[in-house]
Structures are given as structure tokens and as C-alpha cells.
């Protein structure tokens, strides 16, 4: 067997330039995300990383792409999966108990109804490409950009489709961040808001896209609303793993039906790593400072993955996507507002 055969597919020398580039963008994004203005407007490091990546990807990156492409690809695939697994350190099984049965049922119903609506509207009504629809549906249903990136290995969407889906999360999550507090205050003043601060926190956590956006919207109402919103959101995030497994099985079934035979399920093993990390974190075996350090590492890994996505996204491809992705995301946003409120009130009345 030759030395060439024994050589690993990705050498350190090959991935280093791209890793350094994505790490630099991630570091800049994380620093910008700590600025008070960014935090008050719910703009996370992940959002900043993809924006900076897209700017560089459509300007300077072309000159160094031949050298950096391997490392950028490594960041977009391997580091993304590692980041999703470590994301479990933000959650514990005890979080479920803090929102109770009603909170879990609300999150599950919002997730399933939103994703099913996305699939039907996108493919049947708007005639969009299925992969694009599934990515937008995942981002709206669960946890924004992180869900889009986690669903990509299962859906196998193109880079521009992932970028478009992330863009819809940024746009409508930002709208929600300002609209929800205004809606609550207006409703309370007019006497028609049926939810108190805690109930509206659950509504916010079960329907707003990104964790950072949930925090910003909740804090604009009260500390109590923010705390409840974050817990509700974390329970919704916890549903990411079973969602990915179910989506993989559903896609395999559809593919097999098309071919007239059974199709192999592409199991997203990193989703089980995510569940294992949540279970491990629930045991509270690690000291709190170490957990905080690992969470910061996780943010860096996800930011590097988002930076890599941005670097490989071309503005021309985004323009070619047209208005239909944004229209789908807008319809899902309206459902999250109206349908999400109905689900919260209905489940609250029953449970």
C-alpha cells in the first residue's frame, strides 16, 4: 500500500488556512455580539458570523478560496456537528419540569404544526423546491439558524438554500423581537390580552425563532417573562434531535416509495450525541465554570460553521431564490403568531 493511500484525506496543512479564516470571523462576531447595542437588539454571534462571511465571500474570499476551501468545508461540516453536540450543555432534563406538561405539549404542537404547514405551503401551494422548504420549516419550527444548520446534513440542501433559510430566520425573528413586547403591552392596555407575563413568556419561547431573540423579547416585558421564555425555548430546542431522526426516516420513506423499494435511513448520529450531552449535563457532574467554558467553545464552533456558510454563499444565488422563500417564511411567521397563540390558550385551558 502506497504512502499516498495511507495519507488522511484532510491534512492539518490543508485545513489550517480555512480554519484560521473562519476562526477569525467567529472571534470578531462573538466580540461584536457582546456589545450592548447588539445584545439589546437580539443580534447573536451566529447572525453576525454569516453576515460577515457573506460580505467577505462576495468580495475578498475569491482570492484565497483555493487555499482556504478545505478548511472552510471542514468548518461547515465537522465543526457544525461538534457544535450541535455541545449545544446540549445548555440544557438539562430538569428544564422540562420547569415548564410542566403544558409547556412540553405546547412546544411539540407548535413544532409539528409549523413544520407540516411549511411542507404543505412550500411544496403544494408555492411550488418551491423541497429541500428549501424543509430548511425554512426547520428554522421556523425549532431554533432558527442552529436548526437550519443541523437539518442540512439530513436534507442535503445546497449552500445557497441554507443561507436563504437562515436569512428568513434573521428577518422574521428580528420582527418578532420588537413586535411581541409591543403586542403584549398593547393587549394589556386594551384589555384583550388573555395571558399574564408567565403565559406570554411560554408563548414567546414556543414561537420566536432564535434563542437570542427570545431573550430580547422576554426582557422587554419583564424578568419573569424572559426567564419563562428561555426555559420554554430550551425545551423546544431539546426536540431538535427527535425531529432530525423523524425527518430522516420520513425522507427515506419518500425516497423509497419513489423508487419502489425501501430506502436506507441516513441516521443523524450527531443528534444522539446532542441527546447524550443533555442527559450528561443533567447529572451536573461538571463544575459550573467548566460548563460555561464549554458553552463558549460551542458558540465559537457554531460561529465558525456559520462563517463558512457565509463565505460559500453567493449573492447571485440568493437573488435567484426569488421572493417565494420570504413569502413562505412570512406565512409561517403569521401562523406562529396566530396559531401559536391559539395553541397556547387551548393547551393552557385543557391542562
Amino acid at each position: 500500500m502506497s504512502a499516498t493511500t495511507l495519507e488522511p484525506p484532510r491534512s492539518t496543512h490543508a485545513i489550517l488556512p480555512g480554519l484560521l479564516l473562519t476562526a477569525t470571523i467567529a472571534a470578531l462576531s462573538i466580540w461584536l455580539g457582546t456589545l450592548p447595542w447588539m445584545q439589546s437588539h437580539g443580534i447573536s454571534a451566529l447572525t453576525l458570523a454569516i453576515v460577515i462571511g457573506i460580505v467577505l465571500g462576495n468580495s475578498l474570499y475569491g482570492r484565497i478560496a483555493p487555499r482556504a476551501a478545505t478548511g472552510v468545508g471542514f468548518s461547515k461540516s465537522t465543526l457544525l456537528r461538534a457544535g450541535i453536540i455541545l449545544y446540549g450543555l445548555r440544557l438539562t432534563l430538569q428544564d422540562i419540569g420547569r415548564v410542566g406538561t403544558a409547556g412540553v405539549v405546547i412546544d411539540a404542537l407548535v413544532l409539528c404544526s409549523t413544520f407540516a404547514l411549511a411542507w404543505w405551503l412550500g411544496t403544494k401551494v408555492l411550488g418551491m423546491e423541497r429541500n428549501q422548504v424543509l430548511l425554512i420549516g426547520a428554522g421556523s419550527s425549532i431554533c432558527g439558524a442552529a436548526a437550519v444548520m443541523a437539518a442540512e446534513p439530513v436534507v442535503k440542501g445546497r449552500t445557497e438554500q441554507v443561507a436563504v433559510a437562515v436569512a428568513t430566520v434573521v428577518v422574521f425573528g428580528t420582527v418578532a423581537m420588537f413586535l411581541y413586547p409591543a403586542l403584549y403591552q398593547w393587549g394589556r392596555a386594551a384589555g384583550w390580552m388573555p395571558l399574564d407575563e408567565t403565559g406570554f413568556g411560554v408563548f414567546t419561547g414556543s414561537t420566536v425563532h432564535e434563542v437570542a431573540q427570545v431573550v430580547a423579547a422576554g426582557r422587554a416585558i419583564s424578568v419573569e417573562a424572559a426567564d419563562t421564555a428561555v426555559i420554554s425555548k430550551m425545551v423546544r430546542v431539546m426536540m431538535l434531535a427527535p425531529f432530525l431522526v423523524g425527518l430522516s426516516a420520513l425522507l427515506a420513506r419518500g425516497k423509497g416509495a419513489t423508487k419502489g423499494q425501501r430506502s436506507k435511513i441516513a441516521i443523524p448520529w450527531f443528534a444522539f450525541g446532542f441527546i447524550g450531552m443533555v442527559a450528561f449535563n443533567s447529572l451536573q457532574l461538571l463544575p459550573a465554570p467548566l460548563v460555561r467554558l464549554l458553552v463558549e467553545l460551542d458558540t465559537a464552533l457554531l460561529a465558525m460553521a456559520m462563517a463558512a456558510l457565509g463565505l460559500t454563499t453567493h449573492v447571485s444565488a440568493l437573488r435567484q431564490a426569488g421572493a417565494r422563500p420570504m413569502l413562505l417564511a412570512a406565512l409561517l411567521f403569521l401562523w406562529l403568531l396566530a396559531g401559536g397563540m391559539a395553541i397556547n390558550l387551548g393547551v393552557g385551558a385543557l391542562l
Side-chain angles (χ1 to χ4, degrees), residues 2-345:
S2 66
T4 303
T5 306
L6 291 171
E7 188 178 5
R10 282 192 179 115
S11 66
T12 303
H13 177 73
I15 68 173
L16 190 58
L19 279 181
L20 289 175
L21 177 59
T22 56
T24 300
I25 296 173
L28 176 60
S29 304
I30 292 170
W31 175 75
L32 290 173
T34 62
L35 299 179
W37 189 90
M38 296 292 185
Q39 292 185 340
S40 64
H41 289 78
I43 301 176
S44 68
L46 300 188
T47 299
L48 292 166
I50 189 172
V51 170
I52 295 173
I54 288 175
V55 171
L56 293 178
N58 289 272
S59 55
L60 303 177
Y61 178 64
R63 302 176 184 175
I64 61 172
R67 292 185 58 197
T70 303
V72 169
F74 181 81
S75 297
K76 196 167 61 173
S77 58
T78 304
L79 294 190
L80 168 65
R81 288 163 173 78
I84 295 298
I85 292 172
L86 282 179
Y87 203 86
L89 288 173
R90 304 168 191 260
L91 310 168
T92 65
L93 297 176
Q94 289 83 355
D95 290 334
I96 297 178
R98 295 179 65 181
V99 297
T101 303
V104 176
V105 172
I106 287 170
D107 281 335
L109 289 176
V110 168
L111 191 162
C112 294
S113 62
T114 304
F115 190 76
L117 182 63
W119 194 318
W120 178 74
L121 281 175
T123 58
K124 303 298 184 182
V125 178
L126 298 177
M128 295 170 57
E129 191 173 342
R130 188 192 66 178
N131 288 353
Q132 181 71 89
V133 171
L134 298 183
L135 292 170
I136 293 174
S140 298
S141 303
I142 310 174
C143 54
V148 173
M149 296 291 285
E152 187 275 331
V154 177
V155 174
K156 295 180 173 58
R158 299 190 302 275
T159 296
E160 61 270 19
Q161 292 175 327
V162 178
V164 167
V166 171
T168 65
V169 169
V170 173
V171 170
F172 291 101
T174 302
V175 172
M177 191 174 58
F178 294 103
L179 178 61
Y180 275 54
L183 183 65
Y184 178 77
Q185 301 298 344
W186 177 41
R188 296 293 287 183
W192 59 261
M193 174 55 65
L195 299 173
D196 58 12
E197 290 182 355
T198 300
F200 200 83
V202 174
F203 168 63
T204 301
S206 64
T207 56
V208 175
H209 301 66
E210 289 272 3
V211 175
Q213 295 158 352
V214 167
V215 173
R219 283 178 180 170
I221 298 171
S222 70
V223 174
E224 184 180 6
D227 290 345
T228 309
V230 170
I231 295 169
S232 175
K233 182 63 177 179
M234 290 295 98
V235 172
R236 190 171 156 211
V237 170
M238 205 177 295
M239 296 176 180
L240 176 63
F243 167 81
L244 292 176
V245 175
L247 178 60
S248 178
L250 191 62
L251 292 178
R253 181 180 178 184
K255 185 178 179 182
T258 301
K259 293 182 176 180
Q261 59 187 13
R262 293 184 63 183
S263 181
K264 185 178 179 182
I265 299 175
I267 299 175
W269 293 110
F270 63 93
F272 291 97
F274 170 81
I275 294 175
M277 194 62 70
V278 173
F280 175 75
N281 192 44
S282 302
L283 300 175
Q284 298 182 346
L285 299 176
L286 298 179
L290 178 58
V291 173
R292 286 195 295 269
L293 181 63
L294 290 173
V295 168
E296 291 177 1
L297 172 62
D298 176 55
T299 299
L301 293 177
L302 290 176
M304 289 175 69
M306 295 296 283
L309 171 63
L311 287 169
T312 53
T313 299
H314 301 292
V315 173
S316 58
L318 297 179
R319 285 197 300 264
Q320 290 173 5
R324 286 182 296 175
M326 203 60 69
L327 175 58
L328 173 60
L331 293 173
L332 295 178
F333 175 65
L334 293 176
W335 165 251
L336 288 168
L337 267 175
M341 177 64 77
I343 289 172
N344 273 261
L345 292 176

